[in-house]
Amino acid sequence: MPDLSVRDTGLHLLRRPGLVLSGVVIALVLLAAVAPALFTGQDPIAGVPAERLRGPSPSHLFGTDETGRDVFARVVHGAALSLRATVIAVLVALVSGAALGLLAGFRGGWLDSVVMRVIDVVQAVPAILLSLALVTALGFGTTNVAIAVGVSNLAAFARLMRAEVLRVRSGAFVEAARASGVRWSGVLGRHVLPNALGPVLVLATLTFGTAVLEVSALSFLGFGATPPTPEWGALVAGGRGFLATAWWMTTFPGLTVAAVVLATNRLGRALDGERSGR
Amino acid sequence: MPRRLAQAVVVLWAAFTLSFVVLYLLPGDAVLTKLGSAEGGVTASDAEVAAARAAHGLDDPLPVQYGKRLLAALRGDFGTSVSTGDDATHLVLSALPPTLAVTGLALVLAVLFGGGVAVLGTYTRQRWLGQLLLSLPPLGISLPSFWVGLVLIQVFSFQLRLVPALGSTGFASLVLPAVTLALPTGAIIGQVLAKSLRTQLAEPYVEVVLAKGASRGRVHFGHALRGAALPALTLVGVVAGNLLAGSVVTETVFARDGVGRVTAAAVTAQDIPVVQAVIVLAAFFFVAVNLAVDLLYPLLDPRLAAPAARTGKVTADA
C-alpha cells in the first residue's frame, strides 16, 4: 500500500506492538554487531579471575563465566560473528538456490528435470544432517559452518524461484516483450527477476531465523568458532559444565538466540502477510 | 505401488550419490586429517599416508571409487570407520535402538501437543485463549533446541530433582530428551494443522452439517479434523527426518547413546564412512515413512482409493 501516510503507518504499527518490538530487537543486534563498544566496555576475551562465576548484577548484567569474563560482553561481541555466519548462510542459500531455480524454470526441458530431481534429493536429507556432512568435508570453522547451512537450505529457494519464473513467464507482458523483439536475457533482467524478487526476499527473511538456529546448533556441537572467540552457540556449550552452579552462562546466550529468531520470524510473517495482501 | 517402490529406490541411490559427492569429492582429506591427529599432530610419512589411502580405497580413480562404493553400499557396506576401524553400518545400526526409543516418544508427544494446541486453539470461543494457544507454535519453532534441553535439565533435574540429568538408563531418562526433541516438531505439526483446520472450517459443508443440527464439537472433531489431518499427514516424512536429525543435538545435550551421538562424534573425527551411513539411513527413513503414508492415504480418504484417482501425483508435489 504505497499511499499510506506517515500517520497511518504509525497507527498500523501501534496496533502491532510485537512487530515493533521485533524491529527493536533486530536493530539492537545489528548495532551490537557493528559497534559492540556502544553496549559494553568490558573485554570479551580476557577475564578478571577475582570475579569468577558471579551471578547477574548491575556491573555484570548476564553474570560472569569460569574465568571471570563478562557474559554480556561476550554475547554482544559474539553478535558480529554469529550474524556474519547467518548472513553468509542466507546469501549462499539465496544466490545458489535462486540461480538453480532460474536456470531450471527458464531453460525447462531435461535440465529442469535434472535440477529439480537433485533438489528433491537434497530435501530428502534433513538440513542439519546435510550441513553436518558438508562440514565433515569442508572442515570446521564459522565460515565453513555458514556455507554448509546455506547449501542445505537452498532447496526452498530453488523451488520458489522456479515457480515464480514459470508464473511470470506465462504473463501477457512477457509475451508482449518477446513479441516486440526483446531477447530472453532482457526479459529475464527486466521482467522476471523484479517480479520474483518479493517472495524470494520474504523467504530469505524466514530462512534467516532457521539459519541463526542451525549455525548456533552447529557451533554448539563444536564445529564453529574455536574456544576463546565468542559465538552464541559456542557460549551456550561453554556453560554446559556449569549448569548446576551458574545458570546464567547458558540461559542468557540461549535467550539471545531465541529473541533474534523470534524477531526475524515475526518480521518475515509480517512481510509475507503484507505481500499476500492479508 | 511398484512405481512408488521404484521412486523410493531412486531417492536412496540419489542420497548415496549426493553424500558421495559431498564427502569424497570436496577438498579436505579425511585420511590425512586422521593420520595427523592420531600421531598427536606429527605428520605421517608419505608411505604411511599412501598405505592408509589404499586401505580406504582412496587411490582409485573417482568413477572406480564410486562404482565400488555403490556396489558395497548395496550390500549394506559403507566401509570401515576411520577412527575406530569398526564396520560403519554396524556402528550406526547398533546405536539405533536408544535413538528410536526417544524419537518414538518424541513423535507421540509432538502429535499430542501440536495436535492439541491446533484443535483447541481453533475450537475455543475465548478469543484470548485461541490467540495464546496459536501463538505457541511460532514460539516453539524459534527456540534453539540445544538450549531448551539445557534449561529443562536445570529446572527438572537440578532444581526439582525429578529426573536424572544425563545418561540413557531407565524410562525417566527418556522424558526430557523426548520433550526437547518434540518441541520443534510439535510446533510444525501445530502450525500446519491449525492452518488446514481453519481452511476446513470455512468450507461450505461445515454450514450444511451445522444446519442439519450437528453440534460444534461434532463438526470440529468429526468432520473438520478428519479433513485437516490429510495435509498434516504429508508432513510425517519431514517430521521423521527432523526427529532423527534433532537427535544429534539432544543426544549430545543429554549425553545419551544413539545415532545422534555417533553422528556428532563422526563429524568431529571427520569419519566419512560413518557420516555417509547416517545420511543414507536418514534418506531411508524419509523414504520408508513416505511409503507408509502413501499406503495410509486411501484408508483416510476413500476418494484416493477410487481408480479415478490415478497413480502417482497424489503426494509427489506436496
Side-chain angles (χ1 to χ4, degrees), chain B residues 282-294:
Chain B
F284 176 79
F285 265 102
F286 180 83
V287 162
V289 170
N290 275 332
L291 273 179
V293 170
D294 282 341

Side-chain angles (χ1 to χ4, degrees), chain A residues 121 126 136-137 140 240 243 250 265, chain B residues 14 22 27 142 147 154 252 267 270:
Chain A
V121 177
T136 311
F140 304 153
R240 262 186 82 194
L243 274 185
T250 46
N265 281 351
Chain B
V22 167
S142 306
W147 176 70
Q154 244 159 29
T252 304
V267 176
Q270 298 199 294

Side-chain angles (χ1 to χ4, degrees), chain A residues 215-231:
Chain A
V215 166
S216 62
L218 288 181
S219 86
F220 170 81
L221 291 170
F223 307 133
T226 39
T229 321
E231 208 272 83

Side-chain angles (χ1 to χ4, degrees), chain A residues 121 123-126 128-130 132-140 213 216-217 220-221 223 236 240 243-244 247 250-251 254-255 257-258 261-262 265 269, chain B residues 11 14-15 18 22-23 26-28 138-139 141-144 146-147 150 153-154 158 241 245 248 252-253 263-264 267-268 270 272 275 278-279 282-283 286:
Chain A
V121 177
Q123 287 196 315
V125 178
I128 282 277
L129 285 185
L130 186 57
L132 282 175
L134 282 159
V135 165
T136 311
L138 294 173
F140 304 153
L213 283 179
S216 62
F220 170 81
L221 291 170
F223 307 133
V236 177
R240 262 186 82 194
L243 274 185
W247 55 270
T250 46
T251 304
L255 269 179
V257 175
V261 179
L262 264 177
N265 281 351
R269 273 184 294 132
Chain B
V11 171
L18 177 74
V22 167
L23 292 168
L26 287 183
L139 182 69
I141 287 175
S142 306
L143 298 178
F146 56 91
W147 176 70
L150 291 176
I153 293 179
Q154 244 159 29
F158 291 145
V248 177
T252 304
V253 168
T263 310
V267 176
T268 309
Q270 298 199 294
I272 287 176
V275 175
V278 172
I279 301 275
F286 180 83

Side-chain angles (χ1 to χ4, degrees), chain B residues 74-162:
Chain B
L74 285 177
R75 298 191 308 264
D77 175 12
F78 288 93
T80 53
S81 159
V82 176
S83 47
T84 64
D86 292 332
D87 178 46
T89 315
H90 176 73
L91 202 66
V92 172
L93 287 185
S94 62
L96 201 53
T99 302
L100 286 183
V102 179
T103 314
L105 185 59
L107 183 62
V108 172
L109 290 177
V111 170
L112 283 180
F113 284 145
V117 162
V119 169
L120 286 181
T122 48
Y123 183 71
T124 179
R125 281 201 171 112
Q126 244 65 42
R127 219 176 120 75
W128 64 270
L129 182 63
Q131 279 184 343
L132 179 75
L133 283 172
L134 294 181
S135 70
L136 289 178
L139 182 69
I141 287 175
S142 306
L143 298 178
S145 57
F146 56 91
W147 176 70
V148 170
L150 291 176
V151 170
L152 289 178
I153 293 179
Q154 244 159 29
V155 174
F156 291 97
S157 303
F158 291 145
Q159 308 286 328
L160 304 175
R161 298 180 184 283
L162 286 177

Side-chain angles (χ1 to χ4, degrees), chain A residues 41-90:
Chain A
Q42 310 205 37
D43 194 317
I45 306 289
V48 183
E51 297 188 4
R52 281 189 299 130
L53 299 174
R54 295 276 171 84
S57 66
S59 58
H60 299 292
L61 280 178
F62 290 180
T64 63
D65 69 3
E66 77 277 14
T67 55
R69 294 176 292 203
D70 183 60
V71 176
F72 181 67
R74 285 177 67 70
V75 170
V76 167
H77 283 269
L81 198 55
S82 294
L83 283 195
R84 198 180 65 102
T86 309
V87 169
I88 293 177
V90 174

